[in-house]
Amino acid sequence: MPRSPRHQLRRLALVLTTALLIAGCGDRPGPAPLGVATAPDPQSQVLAQLYASALRGAGAAVRIDVVADPVAALDSGQLTLVPGFTGRLLAVFAPDSTARSDRQVYWALAGALPEGLALGDYAMTAADKPVLAVTKATADAWGGSELSALVRHCSGLVVGAVAGVRTPAVVGRCALPRLREFPDSVALFAALRARQITAAWTSTASPSTPDHGTVLLTDGRPALMRAENVVPLYRRNELTESQLLAINQVAGVLDTEALADMRRRVAGGADPQAVVDAFLEEHPLGR
């Protein structure tokens, strides 16, 4: 029995309504991407890509933003996660803190954070701590390569650094003299070799410290220099349990040597994401 025109129109309207509902569901936007901070320098780019990759592996959409003040952008809600270093972040939130060791700095930082921010796990084996370099001849003359040896020879020190790099003014009980500044690390270490300066500031993850003829003074216990371990700072209640687990897994695979190597490659022109992808292929998270 043929259907009435009214029934056919009703059926057509139902089909069109269903199609529109399906189309509307398809156009519905997904969750906003999580913002991860970076700065233009190679080390910041490497860390941003590491944590972004961890979040993507946990199913998140991620964008990487270059911002002038990452902590302020995090506090305002513009960003979700800021990779950084424990000591530098502690200087922001508790500049008068006397904490020095890895564990002390981490817990002092955790206790100084405002209510809406939290820390992930810090990388015990990945740090970019300020360190003084001397020639092997100087270390031999001092009778050791510990930082305490420099403190014992505080009088008459001439210390250099690359212009614009922030360095400690005091090491233990040794108040350092005014810095001699150099345009780059090549000129700095040339001055060290020529004995124009006694010691040169660098850092443990710097790829520009010469391997030969240079000794990095090691810190002891109690530590004389503030720890600078890699750590993620993030907004509370914006990451899922699996995303928190993923960012904490970075601490288990990253070390200072790998950080310095990736930083060197990016400084040489390599794509930061490609460098980090290659690292994570060899050191998968969660394995």
Side-chain angles (χ1 to χ4, degrees):
M1 180 176 179
R3 297 181 183 272
S4 68
R6 180 178 296 178
H7 181 84
Q8 291 175 347
L9 287 172
R10 190 177 297 140
R11 184 178 180 185
L12 178 60
L14 179 62
V15 170
L16 289 173
T17 301
T18 303
L20 288 172
L21 286 172
I22 293 173
C25 291
D27 292 339
R28 185 179 298 165
L34 303 177
V36 175
T38 188
D41 64 278
Q43 183 163 260
S44 295
Q45 294 179 55
V46 166
L47 291 177
Q49 291 292 348
L50 270 172
Y51 284 101
S53 293
L55 289 169
R56 290 189 188 106
V62 182
R63 71 176 194 276
I64 296 177
D65 291 345
V66 179
V67 291
D69 189 342
V71 173
L74 187 71
D75 191 48
S76 69
Q78 178 185 341
L79 296 172
T80 309
L81 184 143
V82 172
F85 295 91
T86 52
R88 294 168 208 175
L89 289 170
L90 183 60
V92 173
F93 292 103
D96 297 328
S97 174
T98 59
R100 291 289 179 269
S101 72
D102 295 4
R103 187 183 295 271
Q104 288 174 345
V105 171
Y106 179 78
W107 287 114
L109 174 58
L113 293 178
E115 186 176 347
L117 303 183
L119 292 174
D121 291 349
Y122 74 93
M124 298 177 66
T125 56
D128 191 29
K129 185 175 177 176
V131 63
L132 282 159
V134 298
T135 62
K136 186 176 183 305
T138 296
D140 290 343
W142 287 353
S145 59
E146 296 78 23
L147 193 56
S148 56
L150 178 136
V151 175
R152 292 195 300 269
H153 294 82
C154 184
S155 178
L157 287 175
V158 182
V159 181
V162 174
V165 174
R166 291 186 178 182
T167 59
V170 178
V171 177
R173 64 178 185 274
C174 177
L176 297 177
R178 184 175 179 178
L179 282 175
R180 287 192 59 186
E181 294 189 330
F182 296 86
D184 52 41
S185 58
V186 174
L188 172 66
F189 286 101
L192 183 67
R193 289 191 299 270
R195 299 188 178 182
Q196 296 170 5
I197 56 176
T198 315
W201 280 112
T202 181
S203 68
T204 52
S206 173
S208 58
T209 306
D211 294 329
H212 302 293
T214 302
V215 175
L216 300 181
L217 299 180
T218 56
D219 206 353
R221 293 185 179 181
L224 300 179
M225 302 286 295
R226 178 175 283 175
E228 294 287 359
N229 296 82
V230 173
V231 71
L233 178 65
Y234 63 91
R235 289 184 62 82
R236 288 186 184 275
N237 305 319
E238 294 197 10
L239 298 178
T240 66
E241 186 175 342
S242 62
Q243 290 163 0
L244 286 172
L245 176 63
I247 64 171
N248 285 336
Q249 287 171 345
V250 172
V253 299
L254 186 63
D255 60 30
T256 302
E257 184 179 357
L259 178 60
D261 180 63
M262 288 188 282
R263 177 174 163 180
R264 181 185 299 109
R265 292 172 184 241
V266 173
D271 176 66
Q273 184 171 352
V275 169
V276 167
D277 287 347
F279 170 77
L280 291 176
E281 189 169 336
E282 292 185 13
H283 306 85
L285 298 177
R287 296 283 179 87

